[in-house]
């Protein structure tokens, strides 16, 4: 079975083709074009600019992703229908509908966050993800045996911060989320406050690696609240107040590095603590990390350590699946994989029945 997937929820135009053969997945193509460099000029995403670039990129990206296959060999078309920017989403959904119509194939509607959950399955470290002997040399093949349920997904992106209980492949329950800024948004805003550029996540992470995490005291909002929710705007505001008080500190490289390290540590501490609370409460067997902020090394390391510690203290083995760094940002491969389970559960539909759902929830 070959699935062509399209993802255009924000500023990435992504198309991937995934083939599923006797339990193996083969990545035929995974193409991403981004307008992020252009957005950087404006210090953040301008929806109109993102949409214009989506229109410009969509056909060349589809062509590139399908260059080595015949369009007729595709069995299903999958597309992100939301959440995201309406004008960006429309470009992908219209392209997917046109393809489904012209090829006379069914369409699969995918929630962007559902895609981020499955991105964690593309990991070389995963215990169940060893390549079979016959495919060892071909890096395009993946043996995806499956997730041990109940699983928990920590989704951290520019628009969302959620803890999702995954009871089965298509059975999700959001058990916690941010009450204000998404964590990626907080990284982006703090980078703006510190005049570091856009997108803030990678820049702050780099500066943080050269700073001292203990140098500046930061709040850890909702760390001890008896739920699985988050709040990041207080940490961001703490950075803002310090900068307002002492503008000259912005010229001090060491101080900026320390600020980034302390800010990053505060965010990671809360994310890890809430994840581990849910792991214990729901007797979780697999933890999946997804979303742009999943590229953050400090977050990956801290989560791994916390899970190891839990394992030793409770003698319970938990599998942690971290996505490949290249698949942490928005891509269509994760959408294709999400579609695979939807197709297996007969969720593919006639193209006329599918439309953009800007505020779709898991
Ligand atoms: O999932 P994504 O690519 O787009 C959305 O669906 O929002 O996430 C983008 C977010 C941005 O806020 C970006 O600053 C953040 O991910 N990000 C990071 C890192 N790399 C990207 N945040 C922290 N550390 C990173 N290394
Ligand atoms: Zn995303």
């Amino acid at each position: 079975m070959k699935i062509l997937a399209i993802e255009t929820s924000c500023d990435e135009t992504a198309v991937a083709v995934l083939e599923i053969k006797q339990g193996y997945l083969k990545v035929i193509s995974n193409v991403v074009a981004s307008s992020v460099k252009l957005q950087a000029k404006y210090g953040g995403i301008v929806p109109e600019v993102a949409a214009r670039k989506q229109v410009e990129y969509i056909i060349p990206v589809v062509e590139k992703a399908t260059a080595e296959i015949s369009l007729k060999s595709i069995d299903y078309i999958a597309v992100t229908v939301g959440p995201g920017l309406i004008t960006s989403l429309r470009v992908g959904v219209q392209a997917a509908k046109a393809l489904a119509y012209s090829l006379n194939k069914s369409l699969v509607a995918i929630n962007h966050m559902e895609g981020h959950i499955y991105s964690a399955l593309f990991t070389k470290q995963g215990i169940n993800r060893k390549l079979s002997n016959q495919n060892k040399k071909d890096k395009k093949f993946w043996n995806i045996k499956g997730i041990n349920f109940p699983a928990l997904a920590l989704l951290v992106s520019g628009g969302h911060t959620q803890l999702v209980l995954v009871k089965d492949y298509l059975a999700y329950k959001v058990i916690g989320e941010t009450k204000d800024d998404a964590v990626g948004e907080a990284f982006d805003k703090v980078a703006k406050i510190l005049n570091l550029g856009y997108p803030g996540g990678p820049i702050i992470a780099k500066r943080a690696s050269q700073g001292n995490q203990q140098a500046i005291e930061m709040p850890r909002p909702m760390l001890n609240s008896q739920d699985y929710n988050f709040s990041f705007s207080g940490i961001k505001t703490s950075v803002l107040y310090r900068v307002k008080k002492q503008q000259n500190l912005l010229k001090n490289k060491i101080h900026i590095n320390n600020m980034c390290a302390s800010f990053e540590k505060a965010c990671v501490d809360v994310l890890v603590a809430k994840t581990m609370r849910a792991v214990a409460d729901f007797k979780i067997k697999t933890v999946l990390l997804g979303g742009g902020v999943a590229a953050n090394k400090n977050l990956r390391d801290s989560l791994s350590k916390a899970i190891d510690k839990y394992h030793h203290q409770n003698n319970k083995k938990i599998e942690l699946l971290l996505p490949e760094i290249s698949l942490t940002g928005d891509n269509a491969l994760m959408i294709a994989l999400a579609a695979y389970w939807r197709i297996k559960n007969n969720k593919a539909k006639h193209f006329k029945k599918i439309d953009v759902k800007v505020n779709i929830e898991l």
Side-chain angles (χ1 to χ4, degrees):
M1 178 205 310
K2 275 197 199 118
I3 304 169
L4 179 143
I6 300 181
E7 151 67 49
T8 64
S9 65
C10 192
D11 58 342
E12 267 87 30
T13 313
V15 179
V17 180
L18 187 64
E19 184 175 8
I20 293 103
K21 235 184 194 175
Q22 293 148 8
Y24 291 102
L25 304 187
K26 184 179 182 186
V27 178
I28 290 178
S29 61
N30 180 31
V31 183
V32 183
S34 176
S35 64
V36 71
K37 283 199 182 127
L38 192 60
Q39 310 287 349
K41 278 194 204 162
Y42 304 99
I45 290 176
V46 180
E48 173 66 20
V49 175
R52 282 179 192 215
K53 286 289 153 186
Q54 293 286 6
V55 173
E56 192 182 317
Y57 293 156
I58 189 71
I59 290 178
V61 172
V62 169
E63 279 177 344
K64 195 169 173 193
T66 54
E68 285 173 20
I69 54 160
S70 127
L71 276 178
K72 283 192 186 126
S73 70
I74 289 164
D75 300 290
Y76 293 92
I77 316 283
V79 65
T80 302
V81 292
L85 304 172
I86 184 160
T87 42
S88 285
L89 285 164
R90 278 205 185 287
V91 176
V93 171
Q94 292 308 329
K97 282 189 171 201
L99 276 169
Y101 172 64
S102 62
L103 299 171
N104 195 22
K105 301 292 172 193
S106 298
L107 203 50
V108 195
I110 301 296
N111 181 315
H112 179 75
M113 301 314 288
E114 183 180 25
H116 277 306
I117 294 176
Y118 293 110
S119 69
L121 293 186
F122 289 102
T123 168
K124 292 201 174 84
Q125 282 77 37
I127 292 165
N128 295 331
R129 275 137 275 278
K130 291 205 179 87
L131 296 170
S132 76
N133 284 337
Q134 75 188 67
N135 293 328
K136 238 177 203 159
K137 286 198 191 94
D138 191 342
K139 295 230 168 74
K140 285 181 174 170
F141 276 98
W142 302 77
N143 170 19
I144 299 205
K145 200 172 143 197
I147 303 172
N148 289 321
F149 298 108
L152 179 75
L154 172 62
L155 303 181
V156 281
S157 72
H160 292 80
T161 305
Q162 295 181 319
L163 270 172
V164 185
L165 181 62
V166 187
K167 291 185 216 153
D168 205 335
Y169 282 106
L170 304 178
Y172 318 108
K173 187 177 177 202
V174 178
I175 56 168
E177 58 195 334
T178 181
K179 293 287 158 199
D180 39 57
D181 291 351
V183 64
E185 186 183 354
F187 270 77
D188 293 337
K189 286 179 178 168
V190 164
K192 205 168 190 177
I193 295 167
L194 299 176
N195 286 333
L196 296 176
Y198 177 86
I203 308 169
I204 292 206
K206 189 162 178 240
R207 300 293 296 255
S209 68
Q210 295 152 25
N212 174 0
Q213 295 179 333
Q214 266 82 43
I216 299 160
E217 206 175 305
M218 292 279 165
R220 279 148 176 78
M222 300 183 74
L223 185 68
N224 297 312
S225 63
Q226 302 296 306
D227 55 25
Y228 313 103
N229 291 325
F230 306 95
S231 164
F232 295 100
S233 79
I235 319 180
K236 170 198 72 190
T237 313
S238 175
V239 175
L240 180 67
Y241 284 158
R242 281 165 200 276
V243 170
K244 274 197 170 164
K245 251 197 226 162
Q246 285 177 284
Q247 280 284 341
N248 57 336
L249 286 179
L250 283 182
K251 293 188 194 115
N252 182 333
K253 239 184 164 183
I254 295 173
H255 183 79
I256 300 268
N257 293 350
N258 289 343
M259 188 80 92
C260 290
S262 304
F263 163 78
E264 183 185 73
K265 174 84 169 94
C267 294
V268 167
D269 280 356
V270 186
L271 287 168
V272 172
K274 288 294 170 90
T275 304
M276 296 317 293
R277 169 190 287 276
V279 162
D281 291 354
F282 293 94
K283 301 189 172 49
I284 294 300
K285 292 187 182 151
T286 309
V287 175
L288 307 125
L289 182 66
V293 187
N296 189 280
K297 187 174 182 309
N298 198 339
L299 174 60
R300 295 167 82 97
D301 292 349
S302 301
L303 198 55
S304 305
K305 275 188 200 143
I307 286 179
D308 279 350
K309 192 172 159 198
Y310 183 87
H311 175 199
H312 289 301
Q313 283 174 348
N314 300 279
N315 203 20
K316 280 196 186 107
K317 198 148 178 54
I318 297 169
E319 191 178 20
L320 172 65
L321 300 180
L322 303 171
E324 286 219 319
I325 301 285
S326 65
L327 296 176
T328 52
D330 293 345
N331 64 85
L333 202 52
M334 65 185 195
I335 303 303
L337 187 53
Y340 170 58
W341 275 289
R342 291 216 164 258
I343 293 162
K344 270 178 97 170
N345 283 274
N346 301 318
K347 304 275 187 204
K349 291 183 182 157
H350 187 267
F351 76 89
K352 281 188 183 167
K353 293 200 174 140
I354 285 182
D355 223 329
V356 169
K357 286 190 179 160
V358 178
N359 296 316
I360 190 173
E361 288 177 9
L362 272 174

